[in-house]
Amino acid sequence: MTVTTTDRLILREWTDTPADLARIYDIYSRDEVMRWLGGGAGRLTEPGQAVERLAAWRQRYAPYAGRYGIWAIQVRDTEQVAGSVLLKPLPGRDGQTPTEDIEVGWHLHPDSWGHGYATEAARAVLAAEFATDTRQVYAVVAPGNERSMAVCRRLGMTHLGRRTDWYGGTEVETFLRTSP
């Protein structure tokens, strides 16, 4: 199911097709991606784990009826999936309980870095979320992840410094975008 589109991208549900499962594994098994996501915790180590990851995403976001989730970023021209874009309630200090704070994020395969896909996909989900009268959305970035911090700046987000409000108290660079 397509969530939204842009000039270059289709943002859609991840599927259990062999191509999507292979891409999930290829993205979430890479050290250069996972080092920025919880310090590498949750890195996939065998292809069959992609099925479990997809099932966990579906279960986690099912209560939100499509408003929140993690979606595939598919490039229109090539039909290749560049990565994922997410919009979700940030987990609190316990690392589990959803807060009232909303997060936008992205996880791209290295072969898709540097093309503006993360910025374009995040802009689209931010626009949809702001259309629901949400007043602000955060992006949280692992310290040192200069590429993601640059995406935040391109999105017009304000850097608030390092905070420990979410993800079990992990220190993250925090960015904020308010409703236009």
Side-chain angles (χ1 to χ4, degrees), residues 42-61:
R43 186 175 69 81
L44 302 181
T45 58
E46 58 185 71
Q49 292 173 317
V51 174
E52 297 164 11
R53 180 67 50 93
L54 179 57
W57 290 340
R58 287 177 173 166
Q59 180 180 10
R60 181 177 309 134
Y61 300 115

Side-chain angles (χ1 to χ4, degrees), residues 44-139:
L44 302 181
T45 58
E46 58 185 71
Q49 292 173 317
V51 174
E52 297 164 11
R53 180 67 50 93
L54 179 57
W57 290 340
R58 287 177 173 166
Q59 180 180 10
R60 181 177 309 134
Y61 300 115
Y64 299 109
R67 180 173 180 183
Y68 301 129
I70 184 164
W71 302 290
I73 303 169
Q74 184 173 328
V75 180
R76 282 182 190 268
D77 290 346
T78 64
E79 296 187 3
Q80 175 150 339
V81 173
S84 298
V85 63
L86 63 89
L87 187 74
K88 65 177 188 156
L90 276 156
R93 284 188 174 268
D94 66 1
Q96 299 294 321
T97 306
T99 67
E100 297 292 317
D101 298 325
I102 306 304
E103 173 187 14
V104 64
W106 44 86
H107 313 143
L108 271 66
H109 190 285
D111 67 12
S112 297
W113 293 351
H115 299 279
Y117 300 144
T119 304
E120 190 171 330
R123 269 196 190 113
V125 297
L126 282 169
E129 183 62 14
F130 287 138
T132 69
D133 293 327
T134 293
R135 313 264 307 145
Q136 59 186 26
V137 176
Y138 293 92

Side-chain angles (χ1 to χ4, degrees), residues 1 21 23 32 37 40 46 63 75 77 87-88 94 97 114 120-121 127 138 142 146 169 171 173-174 177 179:
M1 175 177 95
L21 292 173
R23 194 63 166 171
E32 64 264 44
L37 307 178
E46 58 185 71
V75 180
D77 290 346
L87 187 74
K88 65 177 188 156
D94 66 1
T97 306
E120 190 171 330
Y138 293 92
E146 297 299 329
E171 186 176 73
E173 298 286 356
T174 304
R177 173 79 189 268
S179 179

Side-chain angles (χ1 to χ4, degrees), residues 6-33:
T6 69
D7 289 342
R8 299 186 303 157
L9 306 174
I10 299 167
L11 308 182
R12 63 168 175 80
E13 298 286 339
W14 281 101
T15 69
D16 56 5
T17 62
D20 271 10
L21 292 173
R23 194 63 166 171
I24 289 169
Y25 175 73
D26 194 16
I27 294 167
Y28 294 96
S29 65
R30 292 180 170 272
D31 288 330
E32 64 264 44
V33 173

